[in-house]
Amino acid sequence: MRSPILVRVLGGRPNQLGEAQSSKKKDCWDKADIVGKLATGFFSIAVTALAAYVAFLASQAVNRINQKQAEINNVDLRNKALQALGETDSTKKKLGKIALAGYGEAAIPTLELLLEQSDAALRSDGIDIASYLYTMQPYLRPTQPNLRAEVLKTLRRSLLDQRFALSAQMIYALADFYDKLPADDKSVILAALLDRLEPFTRGEAGDIDSLKQTLIFLRSTPGGRCSRTIMILVAQPKLGREAWYAALLALEAHIDSGRISRQELEAWERELEGPSYQRVARAGDLQRTLTKIHQAIEQPGSVR
């Protein structure tokens, strides 16, 4: 039996101490449970993050391996494409050019190198590749929207470079490419060729063979600056016999095209009868040209 004094000390509640102790134990267990759950959550997050990081590193490693393999394959394919340029079989050679063009902008340095060769056949191959690269644009547009502009810029730079001759083979390939171009892009090529002729219009020396081949190309581009440049060449007294005659034939091709207006033809007739042209006339050739102009003017279907 408990002492009355002890009962009074305990406030008349003999079980209070036991209940307090039990409550503290429960609180401790609750906190431990919360901490345990938090620890489990954090551990789970950490494991997930670690797994994701390991997966990312593995993915990066696989991508690097695939990229390296792709580079090796590209080099191998490009080498095969370049080897095809030396093929004597025309079909294999054409397929090699197409394969090289398939690299898009990555093939531009190779194109530049080919266009800088002294070998006429290699420069002609460069023109063919430029044509195929230009044609590839619709297929490569999402990743290489400026491919055509790069091709034209590279080609223009090559045409303007007086160090490299324009052979008949190259002009033939260029004419084939030119015919496929829209008007705006044709103007880029035509302007480059006319700029190349500027030194000759001033009586400066240059590669006559390139001049003659360029004039052959210009026979099919009558009118405007092209016809005016040819007229200036015909009046140039420093031009040699062969070059002068090539210019005259180009002018006659423009006359015969039916695309020169009567007004312009009449102006040409007056100009060709002037002293600057008569001074350089050779063996009646200029008279023949004047006759062609007169006939073109009198032709019923001539352009007004």
Side-chain angles (χ1 to χ4, degrees), residues 29-196:
W29 281 111
D30 288 345
K31 290 178 180 178
D33 185 53
I34 293 170
V35 170
K37 289 180 178 178
L38 287 173
T40 301
F42 285 133
F43 180 74
S44 177
I45 292 171
V47 170
T48 302
L50 180 61
Y53 181 65
V54 170
F56 171 75
L57 291 179
S59 175
Q60 290 290 93
V62 170
N63 287 340
R64 282 196 295 271
I65 291 171
N66 289 339
Q67 184 178 1
K68 191 67 178 175
Q69 186 61 48
E71 289 174 0
I72 293 171
N73 291 340
N74 281 346
V75 170
D76 184 49
L77 287 170
R78 189 177 301 175
N79 287 338
K80 288 179 180 178
L82 288 172
Q83 288 172 6
L85 295 179
E87 285 280 353
T88 54
D89 185 286
S90 60
T91 301
K92 290 182 179 179
K93 190 170 186 176
K94 182 177 181 179
L95 289 174
K97 294 174 185 178
I98 294 172
L100 187 59
Y103 291 98
E105 291 178 356
I108 294 292
T110 303
L111 172 62
E112 292 175 337
L113 184 63
L114 286 170
L115 292 174
E116 290 177 358
Q117 299 304 304
S118 57
D119 187 296
L122 287 177
R123 297 197 75 205
S124 178
D125 288 337
I127 297 291
D128 288 340
I129 291 169
S131 178
Y132 291 129
L133 276 167
Y134 188 94
T135 306
M136 289 286 181
Q137 171 73 58
Y139 308 102
L140 301 173
R141 187 182 299 278
T143 56
Q144 301 183 25
N146 299 319
L147 178 59
R148 284 183 172 175
E150 286 298 315
V151 170
L152 290 173
K153 184 168 69 173
T154 301
L155 195 51
R156 180 180 184 279
R157 189 164 54 242
S158 172
L159 293 174
L160 286 172
D161 197 328
Q162 299 282 357
R163 294 176 300 165
F164 307 118
L166 301 181
S167 66
Q169 189 174 1
M170 185 177 179
I171 286 294
Y172 179 82
L174 183 63
D176 185 60
F177 176 39
Y178 181 86
D179 288 341
K180 301 172 185 175
L181 298 177
D184 287 347
D185 290 347
K186 280 183 176 180
S187 66
V188 174
I189 302 300
L190 187 58
L193 290 173
L194 293 175
D195 287 345
R196 187 181 176 106

Side-chain angles (χ1 to χ4, degrees), residues 264-280:
E264 193 168 3
L265 287 171
E266 289 173 346
W268 289 3
E269 185 178 33
R270 290 192 297 271
E271 200 169 344
L272 289 172
E273 289 173 344
S276 59
Y277 287 88
Q278 293 298 324
R279 201 165 45 239
V280 297

Side-chain angles (χ1 to χ4, degrees), residues 209-275:
D209 286 336
S210 292
L211 169 62
K212 287 160 58 180
Q213 294 303 326
T214 303
L215 286 167
I216 290 173
F217 179 95
L218 297 178
R219 290 179 187 180
S220 61
T221 57
R225 182 189 170 195
C226 183
S227 295
R228 172 46 44 189
T229 299
I230 293 171
M231 285 284 286
I232 294 171
L233 287 171
V234 172
Q236 179 50 252
K238 293 184 179 180
L239 214 56
R241 165 70 183 178
E242 288 186 10
W244 182 85
Y245 194 65
L248 195 65
L249 288 178
L251 182 62
E252 290 180 354
H254 287 202
I255 295 167
D256 292 337
S257 70
R259 292 162 59 186
I260 306 300
S261 69
R262 174 176 292 188
Q263 183 179 1
E264 193 168 3
L265 287 171
E266 289 173 346
W268 289 3
E269 185 178 33
R270 290 192 297 271
E271 200 169 344
L272 289 172
E273 289 173 344

